[in-house]
Amino acid sequence: DVQLQASGGGLVQPGGSLRLSCVYSGSMNDDYAIAWFRQAPGKEREAVSRIVPRDGNAWYDASVKGRFTISSDKSKNTVYLQMRSLEPEDTGVYYCAASDSWLALLSGRGYWGQGTQVTVSS
């Protein structure tokens, strides 16, 4: 069983920064990817970023490219999402998830953490 714990959310003003953390544990093979999703009130869940800890290969949605950075510290079993130049549109619950199938994650399958709230407001 794979478990994930997301943390680091909070209230921040537009233009500010936050760093989210996702600590993972349990049985994972080397092909597993860790991804960040977010869901705003009244909107569908969307993929934000993804990383393969084995080699550091990363992907970003166009809406966050250039502002967010995903990274992995394998010694600490932790994936980070550094968010800069935050906008009100970034508001939502941020979830981390793990699977060896990207399509499974996009459909809501795989292993999911509880999420952490990010609110960008003046």
Side-chain angles (χ1 to χ4, degrees):
D1 189 39
V2 175
Q3 295 178 311
L4 306 102
Q5 181 78 38
S7 63
L11 175 64
V12 64
Q13 293 184 330
S17 300
L18 284 173
R19 188 181 73 163
L20 306 183
S21 299
C22 176
V23 178
Y24 56 90
S25 63
S27 299
M28 296 176 59
N29 64 48
D30 291 339
D31 295 325
Y32 265 57
I34 309 293
W36 288 98
F37 292 77
R38 68 187 180 190
Q39 187 165 26
K43 299 183 65 177
E44 295 294 308
R45 183 178 60 246
E46 63 177 346
V48 176
S49 186
R50 182 196 69 215
I51 190 168
V52 181
R54 183 190 72 248
D55 57 14
N57 185 268
W59 169 89
Y60 301 92
D61 184 73
S63 65
V64 306
K65 191 175 298 183
R67 300 188 297 120
F68 292 10
T69 302
I70 191 169
S71 62
S72 175
D73 186 339
K74 295 174 67 175
S75 69
K76 298 184 181 297
N77 295 118
T78 302
V79 170
Y80 303 96
L81 186 67
Q82 179 67 57
M83 306 184 294
R84 304 182 187 276
S85 301
L86 284 162
E87 306 165 352
E89 293 75 19
D90 296 315
T91 293
V93 178
Y94 282 68
Y95 302 89
C96 60
S99 178
D100 58 0
S101 170
W102 179 229
L103 291 178
L105 290 176
L106 291 174
S107 67
R109 307 295 182 182
Y111 301 95
W112 291 75
Q114 85 290 350
T116 184
Q117 176 72 44
V118 172
T119 303
V120 184
S121 176
S122 60

